[in-house]
C-alpha cells in the first residue's frame, strides 16, 4: 500500500523572516559626517548584537545610535565612521556590511555574488584549524607569564591570545597549534595534559578554587575578534567579576555608583518605568571604541531584551540609555536585581580600561618569544593586566598593558631599560604611558528620560509663572 504525505515547501518555515526582515540600509545622505546603518526586523529581540559584531569586526567607530521597537517591530539606527573619522564611501565595503548582517540573520543577500572578493581581503592569513583554550582564574602578578611558560613547555605555539583582568579575576582565550607540525592539537590525552598543567598553575593561590577553569577544544574555523571578546565578557560574568570580592594588590573593589577607576569617572543608574514595565539603565562614562558593544553583550548575556535605546557622544564623553525587560517578559523590580544590573554594566565598561604602560611589540613570528617577553616583564617588576596577541602570516603583533607589581606608577627608567633589552631581539618596540583622565559628569546628548523631565519642568514653570 502506498502512503502519501502532504508536501511542505522547505522555504515556508522562514517565509515570515524573508518577508519581514531583517532589512538592511546603508545611507550616506542622511548625515553630513557619518554613514547611517539602518536595520529593521520583525523579531522578538532584534539583531542588534549581530549588527554590532559586524561593524566592530570591520573596525568601524560608532558615534551615535538609536533603537526603537513597536508592536514587535525592531529598528536599529547606527551612525558609523571609519578609523580616520570619515564616512564609508567604498561601495564594496557598504555591500559587505549589508551581506554580513544578512548572513548573521541566516538570510541571503541578493548581492552575495559580488562580495566574495572583498570578503577574502577581510580574512586573516592565520591558520583555520586551531585549538582554543579558555582560562579563568583569580589573577595575581606574573600569572600571564606563567601561562605562557606552560604553553611553551607543552610545545604549543600561540597563534592568537586575548586576556583581560578585572576586579582580581583573569579571563583568557588562547588559540594554539602544535609547535613542530603547525597543525591543530586534537589528541584528547594531550589536551587533558595541557588542561591539567594549566589548572595546577592557576591553583597556586590561597583563594577559593571554584573560580578556576581551563577548557581546551578544537575549532575548525577562525573566530572573529568580536566573538572572542564576547566570550571574554561571558567568562568574566560567569565568574561574577562585578562583585569585586577578590582582594589583592591588583584587584579593584566595586563601589556604589558613581565610581572611579583608572582616573575615569562613570555613573550607572537604574530607574523604573512602571507604566511600560521597563528597567531604564543610564550609563555615563568616557567614550571609547566598542563601548556600546560591551554594554549590549552584557545585557544580552544577562538575558535582557533592549526595546529602546539612545547612545550619544560628545567631547569624548558618552551617554547610553537602555529600556530593557527580561527575556521572559517579566520585570524583576527589586533593589537587589537593580543593584546587580548596575554592577554588571559598570563591569562591562571597566573591563577594557587599563591604566599604566601600553607596550606594543611587532616581530617575525617565532616560537618561544612570548614566554621570553612575559618573563622579562615580570623580572622588571611589571605584570600584564591585559594582552592582545595576533599573528598574521609570518608576523606577530603583541600588545601588552602592564602595571607595576607593587601598584605604583610605572617607573620610566625601568621602561627604558626594558626597551633596550627587548630591542636586541627582532622586535619593533613601541611604548605609551596612558595618562589618567578626569571627566566631568555633565550630561550630554539625547535621552528619553531627560526629554520627559525637561518637558515636565517647562510645564511646571509655565503653570507657576504669573
Amino acid at each position: 500500500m502506498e502512503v502519501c504525505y502532504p508536501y511542505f515547501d522547505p522555504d515556508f518555515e522562514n517565509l515570515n523572516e524573508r518577508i519581514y526582515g531583517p532589512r538592511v540600509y546603508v545611507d550616506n545622505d542622511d548625515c553630513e559626517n557619518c554613514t547611517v546603518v539602518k536595520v529593521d526586523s520583525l523579531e522578538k529581540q532584534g539583531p542588534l548584537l549581530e549588527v554590532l559584531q559586524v561593524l566592530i569586526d570591520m573596525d568601524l567607530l560608532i558615534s551615535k545610535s538609536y533603537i526603537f521597537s513597536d508592536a514587535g517591530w525592531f529598528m536599529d539606527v547606527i551612525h558609523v565612521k571609519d578609523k580616520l573619522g570619515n564616512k564609508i564611501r567604498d561601495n564594496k565595503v557598504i555591500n559587505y556590511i549589508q551581506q554580513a548582517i544578512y548572513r548573521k540573520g541566516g538570510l541571503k543577500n541578493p548581492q552575495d555574488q559580488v562580495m566574495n572578493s572583498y570578503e577574502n581581503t577581510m580574512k586573516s592569513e592565520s591558520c583555520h584549524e586551531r585549538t582554543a583554550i579558555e582560562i579563568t582564574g583569580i589573577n595575581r602578578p606574573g600569572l600571564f607569564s606563567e601561562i605562557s611558560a606552560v604553553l611553551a613547555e607543552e610545545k604549543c605555539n600561540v597563534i592568537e591570545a586575548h586576556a583581560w583582568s578585572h576586579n582580581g579575576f583573569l579571563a583568557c582565550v588562547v588559540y594554539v597549534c602544535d609547535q613542530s607540525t603547525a597543525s591543530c592539537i586534537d589528541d584528547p590525552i594531550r589536551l587533558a595534559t595541557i588542561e591539567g598543567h594549566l589548572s595546577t598553575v592557576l591553583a597556586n593561590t590561597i583563594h577559593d578554587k571554584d573560580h578556576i577553569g581551563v577548557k581546551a577544544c578544537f575549532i575548525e574555523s577562525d573566530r572573529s575578534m568580536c566573538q572572542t571578546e564576547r566570550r571574554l565578557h561571558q567568562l568574566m560574568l560567569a565568574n561574577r567579576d562585578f562583585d569585586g570580592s577578590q582582594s589583592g594588590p591588583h584587584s579593584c573593589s566595586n563601589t556604589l555608583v558613581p565610581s572611579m577607576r583608572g582616573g575615569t569617572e562613570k555613573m550607572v543608574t537604574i530607574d523604573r518605568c512602571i507604566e511600560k514595565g521597563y528597567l531604564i539603565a543610564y550609563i555615563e562614562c568616557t567614550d571609547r571604541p566598542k563601548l556600546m558593544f560591551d554594554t549590549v553583550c552584557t545585557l544580552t548575556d544577562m538575558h535582557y531584551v533592549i526595546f529602546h535605546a539612545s547612545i550619544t557622544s560628545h567631547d569624548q564623553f558618552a551617554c547610553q540609555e537602555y529600556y530593557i525587560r527580561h527575556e521572559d517578559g517579566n520585570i524583576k523590580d527589586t533593589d537587589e536585581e537593580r543593584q546587580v544590573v548596575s554592577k554588571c554594566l559598570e563591569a562591562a565598561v571597566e573591563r577594557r580600561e587599563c591604566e599604566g604602560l601600553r607596550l606594543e611589540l611587532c616581530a617575525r613570528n617565532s616560537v618561544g618569544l612570548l614566554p621570553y617577553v612575559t618573563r622579562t616583564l615580570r623580572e622588571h617588576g611589571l605584570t600584564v593586566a591585559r594582552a592582545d596577541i595576533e599573528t598574521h602570516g609570518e608576523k606577530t603583533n603583541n600588545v601588552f598593558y602592564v602595571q607595576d607589581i607593587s601598584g605604583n606608577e610605572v617607573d620610566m627608567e625601568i621602561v627604558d631599560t626594558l626597551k633596550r633589552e627587548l630591542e636586541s631581539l627582532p622586535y619593533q618596540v613601541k611604548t605609551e604611558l596612558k595618562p589618567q583622565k578626569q571627566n566631568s559628569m555633565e550630561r550630554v546628548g539625547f535621552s528619553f528620560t531627560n526629554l520627559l523631565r525637561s518637558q515636565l519642568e517647562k510645564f511646571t514653570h509655565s503653570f507657576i509663572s504669573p
Side-chain angles (χ1 to χ4, degrees), residues 32 54 64 70-71 91 120 137 141 151 157 169 177 199 203 205 238 310 357 359 411 414 430 445 460-461 466:
E32 181 179 355
V54 170
K64 186 187 301 183
D70 185 22
N91 287 331
N120 290 336
L151 294 175
N157 183 29
F169 291 98
C177 65
S199 297
T205 174
S310 167
L357 178 70
L359 180 64
D411 188 344
I414 295 178
K430 300 178 183 179
T460 304
H461 179 73

Side-chain angles (χ1 to χ4, degrees), residues 207-213 239:
H207 292 287
D208 189 356
K209 296 183 180 181
D210 292 339
H211 299 286
I212 295 173
N239 273 281

Side-chain angles (χ1 to χ4, degrees), residues 256-259 266-272 279-285 299 320-324 337-339 341-343 345-346 349 441 443 447 449-450 453:
L256 294 178
V257 291
S259 70
K266 64 185 66 64
M267 179 177 289
V268 180
T269 59
I270 308 296
D271 294 327
R272 294 170 291 186
L279 283 180
I280 307 173
Y282 196 89
I283 308 165
E284 296 178 322
C285 63
L299 290 173
Q320 303 180 80
E321 185 177 40
Y322 299 92
Y323 284 66
I324 60 176
E337 180 66 15
R338 289 195 297 273
Q339 187 177 22
V341 174
S342 176
K343 286 185 175 182
L345 291 177
E346 187 177 348
V349 173
M441 295 303 294
R443 293 174 181 259
S447 163
T449 304
N450 290 345
R453 289 174 179 170

Side-chain angles (χ1 to χ4, degrees), residues 209-220:
K209 296 183 180 181
D210 292 339
H211 299 286
I212 295 173
V214 180
K215 179 181 179 182
C217 58
F218 168 69
I219 59 174
E220 296 181 351

Side-chain angles (χ1 to χ4, degrees), residues 48 53 56 88 106 145 172 265 291 327 410 415 421:
L48 176 59
Q53 287 179 327
I56 296 301
I88 316 301
S145 174
C172 183
E265 193 175 4
L291 178 62
E327 64 182 14
V410 177
V415 174
E421 185 167 345

Side-chain angles (χ1 to χ4, degrees), residues 165-356:
S165 62
H166 178 249
N167 279 350
F169 291 98
L170 173 75
C172 183
V173 178
V174 186
Y175 301 99
V176 300
C177 65
D178 182 77
Q179 178 177 313
S180 57
T181 64
S183 60
C184 61
I185 303 172
D186 54 5
D187 180 8
I189 298 178
R190 185 177 178 187
L191 291 177
T193 301
I194 295 172
E195 290 180 0
H197 199 166
L198 288 171
S199 297
T200 301
V201 170
L202 292 168
N204 286 337
T205 174
I206 60 174
H207 292 287
D208 189 356
K209 296 183 180 181
D210 292 339
H211 299 286
I212 295 173
V214 180
K215 179 181 179 182
C217 58
F218 168 69
I219 59 174
E220 296 181 351
S221 60
D222 288 333
R223 284 179 183 171
S224 69
M225 177 70 161
C226 218
Q227 291 171 320
T228 299
E229 291 179 336
R230 186 183 178 196
R231 187 59 187 146
L232 288 171
H233 277 297
Q234 292 173 330
L235 293 173
M236 282 291 196
L237 184 65
N239 273 281
R240 298 181 64 88
D241 69 313
F242 55 88
D243 277 341
S245 57
Q246 301 302 323
S247 59
H250 294 276
S251 65
C252 177
S253 60
N254 275 328
T255 60
L256 294 178
V257 291
S259 70
M260 184 75 69
R261 175 184 167 95
T264 303
E265 193 175 4
K266 64 185 66 64
M267 179 177 289
V268 180
T269 59
I270 308 296
D271 294 327
R272 294 170 291 186
C273 181
I274 301 177
E275 295 81 3
K276 298 294 184 179
Y278 294 128
L279 283 180
I280 307 173
Y282 196 89
I283 308 165
E284 296 178 322
C285 63
T286 304
D287 195 16
R288 58 166 174 77
K290 302 185 182 181
L291 178 62
M292 181 181 177
F293 170 75
D294 293 339
T295 307
V296 173
C297 271
T298 297
L299 290 173
T300 302
D301 294 334
M302 294 180 69
H303 306 291
Y304 279 97
V305 180
I306 300 172
F307 287 87
H308 305 280
S310 167
I311 292 87
T312 58
S313 61
H314 180 70
D315 289 339
Q316 299 183 349
F317 200 71
C319 295
Q320 303 180 80
E321 185 177 40
Y322 299 92
Y323 284 66
I324 60 176
R325 188 184 296 154
H326 203 267
E327 64 182 14
D328 60 12
N330 298 323
I331 179 171
K332 300 180 180 180
D333 190 12
T334 64
D335 291 338
E336 181 181 0
E337 180 66 15
R338 289 195 297 273
Q339 187 177 22
V340 169
V341 174
S342 176
K343 286 185 175 182
C344 288
L345 291 177
E346 187 177 348
V349 173
E350 290 178 349
R351 286 170 189 148
R352 288 185 196 269
E353 295 177 0
C354 187
E355 62 184 59

Side-chain angles (χ1 to χ4, degrees), residues 388-407:
D388 293 298
I389 300 164
E390 297 181 73
T391 301
H392 302 279
E394 296 182 354
K395 293 184 178 180
T396 180
N397 186 59
N398 302 335
V399 177
F400 301 103
Y401 293 83
V402 298
Q403 300 171 346
D404 187 86
I405 289 180
S406 62

